[in-house]
Amino acid sequence: MARITVKGVSEIRGPLIVIEGVSGIQMGEYLEVNLENQPSRKGRVLAIEEERVIVLLYQGTYEIEKNEIETEFFGRTMQLFVSEDMIGRIFDSLGQPLDGLPSIYSEDYRDVNGLPINPTSRIYPRSYIETGISTIDIMNTLVRGQKLPIFTGAGLPNNKLIGQIVRQARIAEQDGSEKFAIVFGAMGLTMDDYIYFQRLFKETGTLNKVIMFSNLASDSAAERLLTPRVALTTAEYLAFDKGYQVLVILSDITNYCQALREISVALETVPSRKGFPGYMYSDLASIYERAGIVENSKGGSKGSITMLANLTMPNDDITHPIADLTGYITEGQIILDRSMHNKGIYPPIDVLGSLSRLMKDGIGEGFTRKDHPSLSDQLYASYAEGLDKRRLAEVIGRKELNRRDQILLSFADKFEETFVNQGDEHRTIEESLALGWSLLSQLPETELTKISGELIKTYMTKSEEEIA
Amino acid sequence: MTGGTVDNARIVSIKGSTVQVKGLSSYRMGEITFVGEEKLIGEIIEIEHDLATIQVYEPLEGLRINDPVFLTGKSLSAELGPGLISNIFDGIQRPLEMIKKITNSAFIERGIQTNALDRKKKWLFTPNKELQKGNIIHGGDVLGSVIETNTIECKIIAPPSTYGELLEIQDKGEFTVTEPIVTIKNQDNKKSELTLMHEWPVRVARPFLKKIPVHEPLITGQRIIDMFFPIAKGGTAAIPGGFGTGKTVVQHQLSKWSNADVVIYIGCGERGNEMTDVLREFPKLVDPHTKNPLMDRTMLIANVSNMPVAAREASIYMGITMAEFYRDQGLNVLLTADSTSRWAEALREISGQLEEMPVEEGYPAYLGARLANFYERAGQVVTLGSPYREGSINITAAVSPPGGDFSEPVTANTKRFVKTFWGLDSTLANRKHFPSINWFTSYSGYIDVIEEWALESGLEDWGRYRQEMFTILQQDSELQHIVELIGSKALPAYEQLIILAADIIKDGFLQQSAFHPVDSFCPIDKQMKMMKLMLLFYQRAHLLIKNGCPISLINSLKSVQILKRMKEDIPNDNLMLLNKLEDHIHSEMEELGSKYGYKV
Ligand SMILES: Nc1ncnc2c1ncn2[C@@H]1O[C@H](COP(=O)(O)OP(=O)(O)O)[C@@H](O)[C@H]1O
Ligand SMILES: [Mg+2]
């Protein structure tokens, strides 16, 4: 496709430029603006009206001279070269190396916007991932191919939790029969957080399995819109073309959404809640929905994309549009709780608010263990009741509770102290299940209404033996 | 949808999911056009002088100004005929399996044109014996039938506008959907041929003879719905709730277990994996009413969240038109849409691109009218044509209010048009009380109708049980306010008993696990018997307390646990076991009674 070069622009507004008197331009076309003594800036066509083209520049419009600049349209959408050689490397959001090593050239290149997965080609995710964390493994089981955000608040240890998952979780078979890679999309990260992750990958010996796409807080906001897309384009290539089990880590979705708002304001779109654009749901879906497993032509599954995403809730507000829309798209959420954190509990997971939607088909007989579904139902129910009693005790005093209420309250306390507050320990699923049973053994059997008598007989006694 | 003729028209602007064109040879609102060399599918949604705006059902990347536009002369239409059931379509009725075959890829590529119904497949057509040459054929007349699946016999009906003299009808034999089976002579002496399929414009409701009152319940096997907030066949219900409150699971449960003849499930702007889940599970599940695989009565529309928004807007109309087609055969159709909020957002997005004046939260002024229009297409009707047939459409639709706030425009507008409201409650969901349908904020507008039906169907006690359980729950909720201040110890025994009884009802009756092999579906007989036992326990315990029995003894009766567990412990095919439980409860109560010198 022939390239078209134009001199001068008619409008410059925020990250947008408008070029007039040009024809033959495509919707979504990739372009570069050539500047003197500066690297060229990349952009994308957002709208066209006759001979008037509206363009988003990923590195902004600062210092652009209206009459002199030269824009070169490439006659195609933005493409990313993809290759297994990217593993172990660091790039910016346009796929250019940041590690001083040469650029990637490959026979394979992809449009970074991707295409929707055909629902008939998806394979429903069912293999659980043991993270070694009881509140996740037993109560909110993570499944290979799942997209699960961590709803966190400023200052909460979400990165530590992700670190623990990276350290402990077995996402690919360890026997070498499966290839594993991590794709990390840093979106508006502070230098501190960025260094934390680099160190994490180094310490866990995964650095040679990681591909980093880095957009720091100081980098362009417009470019941030590309970060998750290049990350996922790369992940799709590795998972669906090359058979890798890929873990995608995105951090932080909130920074991404703020960039989205900034651009939408410049585009003068009608805002929806809190000034975020009405299309934010669809936009976020076009990111999150790229996780999953698809069948290959023979019908078997190849690789998978499992996604963990940090999402800092502004003011710890879960109804904020960023958290809200995300919760409507992702397959559950892990919520970190400030009051638990203040009590010194790690990981401070809000067990009741958290959810894994894919858990139901990834646990139980033939997956984790037969008793797992009922056990977790019972732990949920009794813990929820225990918390009610705690609230009551705060009003009338603990001593005023009746015997049953006191038992439930002390169950909730123990549950938080031991089951939730596990620290850096790595617990196998078996260990976590046993801990669950031993907690339940403190309750009278009449309280165990979520578990069949048969399961109680098999597992309750067994776990007492295990303890002995 | 295939074909289209080139026009002299050209694209003059491209923005979001719409393009504007000039120079069309004809401007008709709603006409389907193909846009660009790739022939992306679009629909004309606004005309101003010689400028037409087209909403395009596929991503616009790569389009250019001056690219060609093709007119089709058709409105967005559904293909209606055998072969719809068991299939999965996108929002504009392209079969996703076919797309997969054409692209040989896991992704939905652009510019794929394919028919909804397989043109090669032959169906065994059995003509309607009653028809004879010379008969006048009207719209809606049954011409014959085809076995579509083990569950569904698809009646071949004359399209609604048909009128003419029967010249020829084929004998029993195999036909594709486009081969003529009937030839008629119109009033102006022209011959026309009818086939197994016909098309219908999706934005126009299919005609019927008349609407009639609803008169029987849709049995869903979900206790809180069937017993507390039932929906009639032909009725409408909304399921609003924040994320994770259980909207999708309720819709899956309704699709699986309700006694509709045909189910249409629309995944409108929701998760891809949830559609895959249905595709994976339904063929394996047995319909409790017919014993055939559930897929034999189910069709799916999947326009998931990352598929184009314009097609999401269309998906709702596509689904309801397919529902009307089966209704017109005299069947009861359940249409579930997950979620209508995503449809409304698509409407908002397109309206924004048209630069229309938004009213509330960016939604266009016609949001309410569009919703009304959609829900109006539900109902119980007498169909056109002979023989006489009654059919119905249920609409149950999820609503996803931002931040779980029910006062937002989509929830508020929906409330105006639906008669049943299953309000999901995030407090309940957080404690894993599922389904999280709140028993105080929810309501059903069909209680009177179903009460009447219950009387005729040997369920005389339904209304009374329901009322008694409600009373207990109501009293419990008032008591809870007191408990929150002073604890339950201070309450008199009979009030503590109310709390216990409510706890049994909440735990043992209202909660129902969708994932439990037994409890996922609860037959009506079992529901009734469970209510009976719980109320019996309450009354007997009340007597005991009156006679001085301490509440602590009642609290620790084995019966309490039995009542909470019978939903899972008693298999649905052996309800006789419930009688044993009843005996057990009796004897436990009698034993206690005798201690307190009282005969229960
Ligand atoms: N009836 C039910 N039984 C058991 N679990 C349920 C039930 N309804 C909902 N859940 C749980 O809640 C989760 C969220 O439900 P879902 O229907 O996906 O919510 P929504 O569509 O409102 O976001 C499910 O993944 C499941 O774990
Ligand atoms: Mg849902």
Side-chain angles (χ1 to χ4, degrees):
Chain A
M1 194 55 65
R3 297 189 183 184
I4 298 173
T5 306
V6 194
K7 193 167 170 198
V9 300
S10 65
E11 275 176 54
I12 305 176
R13 171 164 33 107
L16 305 179
I17 57 175
V18 178
I19 299 170
E20 286 183 28
V22 49
S23 58
I25 303 303
Q26 298 176 17
M27 182 68 164
E29 187 165 342
Y30 174 73
L31 55 97
E32 289 182 6
V33 169
N34 299 317
L35 300 170
E36 253 176 65
N37 307 326
Q38 273 189 42
S40 64
R41 299 195 193 167
K42 280 85 181 159
R44 170 183 159 89
V45 174
L46 293 186
I48 319 174
E49 254 166 66
E50 292 282 10
E51 299 197 333
R52 187 166 182 269
V53 180
I54 301 174
V55 166
L56 170 68
L57 288 188
Y58 291 117
Q59 290 94 356
T61 52
Y62 188 63
E63 287 191 332
I64 285 188
E65 205 287 326
K66 181 172 174 289
N67 299 323
E68 292 304 313
I69 71 159
E70 225 179 57
T71 310
E72 188 177 2
F73 292 90
F74 277 59
R76 55 163 174 82
T77 54
M78 184 180 143
Q79 282 157 350
L80 180 74
F81 283 108
V82 283
S83 146
E84 285 177 85
D85 294 340
M86 295 167 86
I87 298 175
R89 301 278 314 270
I90 305 174
F91 304 93
D92 69 8
S93 304
L94 295 140
Q96 301 174 109
L98 289 177
D99 52 9
L101 296 171
S103 297
I104 298 288
Y105 285 104
S106 165
E107 289 167 10
D108 295 310
Y109 52 87
R110 298 279 183 275
D111 181 329
V112 296
N113 288 304
L115 287 167
I117 297 175
N118 188 328
T120 63
S121 296
R122 282 187 187 267
I123 292 181
Y124 195 74
R126 298 193 72 176
S127 328
Y128 74 93
I129 296 171
E130 182 181 295
T131 65
I133 298 164
S134 301
T135 34
I136 296 181
D137 291 350
I138 305 302
M139 314 294 282
N140 296 290
T141 318
L142 176 64
V143 175
R144 192 148 98 175
Q146 183 166 15
K147 40 189 179 285
L148 195 66
I150 298 173
F151 287 5
T152 183
L156 296 180
N158 50 299
N159 284 340
K160 185 172 172 196
L161 179 63
I162 289 197
Q164 197 173 359
I165 295 174
V166 168
R167 198 170 293 127
Q168 299 178 351
R170 299 279 163 264
I171 289 167
E173 289 295 339
Q174 292 299 290
D175 58 12
S177 62
E178 288 183 332
K179 296 185 279 190
F180 173 63
I182 296 177
V183 177
F184 182 70
M187 305 182 289
L189 275 200
T190 60
M191 203 48 166
D192 283 353
D193 284 344
Y194 183 70
I195 291 173
Y196 170 85
F197 278 105
Q198 267 194 322
R199 196 175 292 153
L200 170 76
F201 296 134
K202 210 173 276 168
E203 276 166 16
T204 51
T206 44
L207 200 53
N208 61 350
K209 297 199 164 61
V210 178
I211 307 176
M212 288 244 221
F213 291 96
S214 160
N215 170 280
L216 298 186
S218 51
D219 290 337
S220 135
E223 206 176 302
R224 201 162 298 151
L225 299 186
L226 283 175
T227 323
R229 297 192 161 82
V230 290
L232 283 156
T233 302
T234 310
E236 277 176 354
Y237 172 78
L238 292 177
F240 305 146
D241 288 29
K242 297 291 166 190
Y244 279 73
Q245 311 306 324
V246 182
L247 173 66
V248 172
I249 302 172
L250 299 178
S251 182
D252 187 312
I253 296 290
T254 302
N255 298 337
Y256 170 83
C257 290
Q258 271 150 1
L260 191 71
R261 176 169 62 181
E262 203 177 311
I263 307 304
S264 81
V265 168
L267 279 168
E268 295 173 354
T269 49
V270 183
S272 167
R273 291 172 68 217
K274 298 216 156 135
F276 290 92
Y279 54 77
M280 190 155 87
Y281 175 84
S282 301
D283 186 277
L284 284 173
S286 76
I287 295 171
Y288 293 129
E289 278 285 317
R290 290 173 83 171
I293 311 177
V294 302
E295 61 189 25
N296 65 19
S297 43
K298 290 173 208 78
S301 79
K302 296 193 271 191
S304 61
I305 298 179
T306 309
M307 189 191 297
L308 291 176
N310 269 326
L311 187 156
T312 304
M313 298 179 282
N315 287 321
D316 293 355
D317 176 11
I318 196 169
T319 68
H320 187 283
I322 298 174
D324 192 51
L325 294 179
T326 294
Y328 273 117
I329 304 165
T330 52
E331 285 147 346
Q333 67 279 339
I334 300 289
I335 304 178
L336 299 192
D337 179 75
R338 192 167 299 279
S339 65
M340 289 246 228
H341 176 63
N342 291 345
K343 274 195 254 172
I345 293 173
Y346 175 84
I349 291 178
D350 167 7
V351 173
L352 298 188
S354 300
L355 168 69
S356 164
R357 294 167 188 266
L358 298 184
M359 169 171 178
K360 65 185 172 78
D361 290 302
I363 64 166
E365 199 161 15
F367 295 89
T368 52
R369 212 170 72 183
K370 192 175 166 192
D371 55 321
H372 185 168
S374 314
L375 176 75
S376 81
D377 280 353
Q378 186 66 57
L379 289 171
Y380 265 118
S382 301
Y383 178 51
E385 273 212 84
L387 290 187
D388 289 345
K389 305 310 172 196
R390 184 183 288 162
R391 270 187 296 274
L392 179 58
E394 278 160 14
V395 179
I396 63 171
R398 204 166 177 134
K399 285 205 208 83
E400 289 304 307
L401 296 181
N402 65 29
R403 220 181 90 74
R404 172 171 186 263
D405 292 357
Q406 295 204 2
I407 292 173
L408 284 166
L409 173 49
S410 88
F411 170 82
D413 290 342
K414 290 257 169 52
F415 180 80
E416 286 177 3
E417 283 157 25
T418 58
F419 197 84
V420 182
N421 186 27
Q422 78 177 78
D424 292 328
E425 190 187 337
H426 178 163
R427 292 186 191 141
T428 64
I429 292 238
E430 303 285 318
E431 285 167 342
S432 293
L433 288 168
L435 184 57
W437 279 106
S438 92
L439 283 166
L440 286 183
S441 70
Q442 301 168 10
L443 295 173
E445 206 178 305
T446 47
E447 287 295 329
L448 306 184
T449 54
K450 308 281 171 194
I451 313 182
S452 73
E454 181 207 348
L455 283 179
I456 293 177
K457 223 182 279 161
T458 323
Y459 290 98
M460 188 66 99
T461 47
K462 198 171 150 211
S463 83
E464 271 158 14
E465 274 163 31
E466 276 169 13
I467 290 160
Chain B
M1 243 170 291
T2 53
T5 52
V6 203
D7 222 53
N8 263 334
R10 53 181 207 96
I11 296 177
V12 297
S13 94
I14 311 167
K15 179 179 173 187
S17 59
T18 57
V19 299
Q20 292 186 311
V21 299
K22 269 187 185 164
L24 287 169
S25 58
S26 109
Y27 288 83
R28 197 167 55 83
M29 268 301 260
E31 177 154 353
I32 290 296
T33 52
F34 295 128
V35 174
E37 304 287 358
E38 280 182 289
K39 289 192 162 186
L40 308 178
I41 302 166
E43 180 182 359
I44 298 181
I45 55 168
E46 194 176 75
I47 299 167
E48 206 180 316
H49 303 294
D50 62 342
L51 193 67
T53 305
I54 301 175
Q55 76 173 16
V56 184
Y57 297 124
E58 301 181 74
L60 298 183
E61 267 81 18
L63 273 192
R64 288 189 174 87
I65 300 298
N66 293 336
D67 273 358
V69 177
F70 307 76
L71 283 177
T72 62
K74 277 187 204 170
S75 302
L76 180 63
S77 299
E79 291 189 0
L80 303 170
L84 292 176
I85 294 185
S86 307
N87 238 318
I88 175 166
F89 302 97
D90 74 358
I92 50 173
Q93 215 193 15
R94 296 182 304 178
L96 289 171
E97 293 282 2
M98 187 54 78
I99 292 183
K100 179 159 82 179
K101 241 186 238 156
I102 295 171
T103 58
N104 192 24
S105 143
F107 298 94
I108 302 177
E109 284 162 20
R110 299 187 314 159
I112 294 165
Q113 298 185 7
T114 158
N115 295 308
L117 295 174
D118 188 340
R119 293 296 191 267
K120 295 208 189 87
K121 183 173 165 79
K122 296 236 177 202
W123 299 91
L124 181 61
F125 169 71
T126 309
N128 179 356
K129 290 259 155 45
E130 311 284 305
L131 293 182
Q132 284 170 5
K133 281 182 195 167
N135 284 166
I136 297 295
I137 304 287
H138 296 87
D141 284 353
V142 174
L143 307 174
S145 64
V146 153
I147 304 293
E148 187 171 359
T149 67
N150 287 327
T151 306
I152 298 298
E153 186 193 54
C154 179
K155 293 200 175 67
I156 306 304
I157 46 182
S161 58
T162 311
Y163 184 85
E165 182 190 332
L166 179 64
L167 295 181
E168 198 185 350
I169 181 163
Q170 298 293 329
D171 292 333
K172 185 168 180 161
E174 297 210 316
F175 299 89
T176 65
V177 289
T178 49
E179 284 169 344
I181 46 148
V182 164
T183 313
I184 58 170
K185 190 170 71 186
N186 295 337
Q187 271 162 310
D188 47 6
N189 265 334
K190 270 199 201 129
K191 278 191 191 175
S192 68
E193 286 171 335
L194 304 181
T195 56
L196 294 182
M197 65 162 273
H198 64 271
E199 290 182 63
W200 188 264
V202 298
R203 298 190 194 275
V204 180
R206 281 171 68 87
F208 44 80
L209 190 63
K210 60 174 180 191
K211 272 210 175 166
I212 52 175
V214 297
H215 50 70
E216 59 176 310
L218 182 80
I219 308 277
T220 67
Q222 311 305 302
R223 286 184 294 272
I224 186 160
I225 293 179
D226 289 343
M227 295 291 125
F228 278 30
F229 307 109
I231 177 171
K233 282 188 175 161
T236 49
I239 314 163
F243 64 82
T245 52
K247 298 178 295 295
T248 303
V249 173
V250 169
Q251 305 233 38
H252 280 197
Q253 290 298 90
L254 295 176
S255 307
K256 281 177 191 167
W257 307 127
S258 62
N259 63 346
D261 298 319
V262 169
V263 173
I264 300 180
Y265 187 100
I266 311 177
C268 176
E270 294 284 314
R271 300 179 186 82
N273 270 330
E274 289 172 349
M275 302 310 293
T276 313
D277 194 16
V278 174
L279 284 176
R280 170 185 72 96
E281 210 183 0
F282 277 36
K284 284 186 256 165
L285 290 174
V286 176
D287 176 350
H289 313 283
T290 63
K291 311 294 174 215
N292 292 325
L294 274 177
M295 213 56 201
D296 281 358
R297 64 162 199 188
T298 310
M299 64 208 108
L300 307 171
I301 294 181
N303 213 97
V304 301
S305 56
N306 59 340
M307 284 160 75
V309 294
R312 190 198 293 169
E313 190 272 333
S315 67
I316 291 284
Y317 296 101
M318 195 54 78
I320 192 80
T321 306
M322 285 156 64
E324 287 170 341
F325 171 65
Y326 287 94
R327 172 203 70 190
D328 290 348
Q329 298 177 31
L331 299 172
N332 302 121
V333 184
L334 168 67
L335 177 130
T336 64
D338 188 10
S339 150
T340 48
S341 294
R342 305 302 164 217
W343 168 78
E345 284 166 9
L347 208 61
R348 173 171 73 183
E349 213 169 308
I350 294 157
S351 158
Q353 287 164 19
L354 294 178
E355 295 175 5
E356 291 171 341
M357 188 68 169
V359 286
E360 230 181 320
E361 305 210 5
Y363 287 105
Y366 48 78
L367 171 68
R370 294 278 169 94
L371 278 167
N373 216 299
F374 171 59
Y375 285 107
E376 258 317 284
R377 290 172 80 170
Q380 173 96 24
V381 305
V382 176
T383 68
L384 293 182
S386 67
Y388 178 90
R389 303 182 301 278
E390 288 180 14
S392 67
I393 296 176
N394 276 108
I395 297 180
T396 60
V399 182
S400 318
D405 169 14
F406 286 7
S407 67
E408 59 88 37
V410 182
T411 317
N413 273 301
T414 301
K415 254 184 144 166
R416 292 165 51 205
F417 309 118
V418 298
K419 284 193 87 173
T420 296
F421 188 79
W422 297 317
L424 302 187
D425 181 333
S426 56
T427 321
L428 290 175
N430 265 353
R431 27 186 338 135
K432 308 282 168 212
H433 174 122
F434 288 118
S436 71
I437 297 174
N438 181 301
W439 46 93
F440 293 129
T441 57
S442 301
Y443 55 80
S444 162
Y446 303 105
I447 299 296
D448 294 346
V449 175
I450 288 167
E451 181 107 54
E452 222 167 278
W453 169 88
L455 287 178
E456 286 161 15
S457 314
L459 304 173
E460 305 75 18
D461 296 323
W462 174 71
R464 184 169 57 85
Y465 287 173
R466 178 175 187 272
Q467 199 46 56
E468 285 177 20
M469 277 197 160
F470 253 129
T471 307
I472 293 172
L473 291 170
Q474 187 63 50
Q475 289 170 334
D476 169 69
S477 128
E478 284 156 21
L479 290 172
Q480 291 299 344
H481 293 305
I482 304 174
V483 170
E484 274 163 27
L485 296 175
I486 58 168
S488 57
K489 256 193 342 197
L491 295 180
Y494 75 92
E495 288 185 343
Q496 292 194 45
L497 176 65
I498 291 172
I499 291 178
L500 173 66
D503 185 45
I504 292 173
I505 295 171
K506 287 183 236 173
D507 227 17
F509 192 80
L510 298 179
Q511 284 191 39
Q512 183 171 0
S513 168
F515 311 130
H516 192 278
V518 174
D519 204 30
S520 187
F521 170 76
C522 188
I524 287 289
D525 294 348
K526 185 171 173 184
Q527 301 188 25
M528 289 291 290
K529 186 84 189 196
M530 284 172 71
M531 287 175 111
K532 182 179 166 200
L533 291 188
M534 288 178 179
L535 291 167
L536 178 95
F537 171 85
Y538 174 65
Q539 283 142 9
R540 295 301 153 95
H542 201 83
L543 282 180
L544 282 170
I545 280 181
K546 255 190 167 165
N547 285 277
C549 172
I551 184 75
S552 60
L553 289 185
I554 293 175
N555 266 327
S556 51
L557 284 179
K558 187 88 181 137
S559 296
V560 174
Q561 209 185 355
I562 288 176
L563 288 169
K564 285 186 176 180
R565 286 212 45 86
M566 62 187 165
K567 57 182 181 182
E568 292 178 1
D569 286 347
I570 306 296
N572 294 339
D573 54 6
N574 197 354
L575 297 184
M576 294 305 284
L577 291 177
L578 282 170
N579 296 337
K580 275 205 184 146
L581 291 192
E582 188 170 352
D583 294 344
H584 182 92
I585 294 167
H586 271 301
S587 66
E588 244 191 352
M589 296 298 227
E590 265 167 28
E591 201 181 311
L592 253 191
S594 64
K595 261 195 212 153
Y596 287 86
Y598 177 75
K599 186 147 175 18
V600 181

